[in-house]
Amino acid sequence: MIVTPLFIVFLVVIFIVVWLFINTIDKRKWLTFIVSLVLTPIVYFYLFYPMLNIFSSYHHKKYFDAEAWEEKPQLRYEMANQILTDSLLIGKNKDEVETQLGKPEWFGWDENLKANSEQKWNYNLGFKPGAFNNMQECIELQFINNTVTSVRPYQLEKTFE
């Protein structure tokens, strides 16, 4: 586990809430303090943290790994941040992109052609975790003269029928 300032703040807040609650049951300060100290990690890991994960869209960010990209397509969103911020694919040709990401999953729509274009490769990144998230993460690679010129993230609404 990584100890961050936010983690410490959450633990302190939970300790205070637990201490106030236990204080309503018993007024002995030393007993209230000890019980609160013992219950704080339990309340954090079994009540607060699961609720935080359900209602927030926080997700782990990982470095790009071509093997993980291929093996776990549902977790590609974890690597998308590095692809976008570090411009890993900008300037690469189609063969290099296909080596790293695999064949495109679908081609993007080109308004000029009024058809799907082989110059717009799209990849599914999966769904970010969250209780109310129904948006599928995707990226589109735009090629000009066989070279990636832009990487555009977008979301598709997933409807369950």
Side-chain angles (χ1 to χ4, degrees), residues 33-123:
F33 180 78
I34 292 172
V35 170
S36 297
L37 202 58
V38 170
L39 285 180
T40 296
I42 295 168
V43 169
Y44 179 83
F45 288 109
Y46 289 104
L47 292 175
F48 178 76
Y49 190 70
M51 294 304 285
L52 181 69
N53 283 330
I54 289 171
F55 293 106
S56 74
S57 63
Y58 171 78
H59 62 88
H60 300 283
K61 294 178 181 168
K62 295 181 180 175
Y63 292 110
F64 178 77
D65 177 20
E67 187 176 312
W69 180 275
E70 187 68 34
E71 289 177 4
K72 298 180 181 174
Q74 69 276 14
L75 299 177
R76 290 176 179 168
Y77 63 86
E78 294 176 342
M79 295 178 266
N81 191 44
Q82 185 190 17
I83 291 172
L84 297 169
T85 57
D86 294 349
S87 302
L88 289 181
L89 302 172
I90 302 293
K92 298 203 182 232
N93 64 36
K94 287 184 179 181
D95 292 333
E96 292 172 325
V97 171
E98 194 169 326
T99 301
Q100 286 188 326
L101 304 182
K103 294 187 183 280
E105 295 174 356
W106 67 91
F107 295 124
W109 184 260
D110 190 343
E111 277 299 318
N112 298 330
L113 299 173
K114 301 289 185 205
N116 289 336
S117 170
E118 291 188 18
Q119 303 307 314
K120 293 184 176 188
W121 290 12
N122 289 270
Y123 293 91

Side-chain angles (χ1 to χ4, degrees), residues 112-161:
N112 298 330
L113 299 173
K114 301 289 185 205
N116 289 336
S117 170
E118 291 188 18
Q119 303 307 314
K120 293 184 176 188
W121 290 12
N122 289 270
Y123 293 91
N124 174 22
L125 301 178
F127 291 88
K128 288 183 181 175
F132 305 108
N133 186 13
N134 65 341
M135 301 300 280
Q136 178 181 356
E137 302 291 322
C138 303
I139 58 169
E140 180 176 78
L141 309 178
Q142 172 75 43
F143 289 91
I144 296 178
N145 297 331
N146 200 32
T147 304
V148 176
T149 57
S150 68
V151 179
R152 179 181 68 92
Y154 66 96
Q155 295 178 330
L156 295 173
E157 184 172 359
K158 181 68 174 178
T159 56
F160 300 98
E161 297 173 10

Side-chain angles (χ1 to χ4, degrees), residues 1-20 33 35-50 52:
M1 172 182 12
I2 299 173
V3 178
T4 63
L6 191 58
F7 174 70
I8 301 298
V9 168
F10 283 153
L11 279 179
V12 169
V13 167
I14 290 171
F15 173 80
I16 292 169
V17 169
V18 169
W19 184 79
L20 290 171
F33 180 78
V35 170
S36 297
L37 202 58
V38 170
L39 285 180
T40 296
I42 295 168
V43 169
Y44 179 83
F45 288 109
Y46 289 104
L47 292 175
F48 178 76
Y49 190 70
L52 181 69

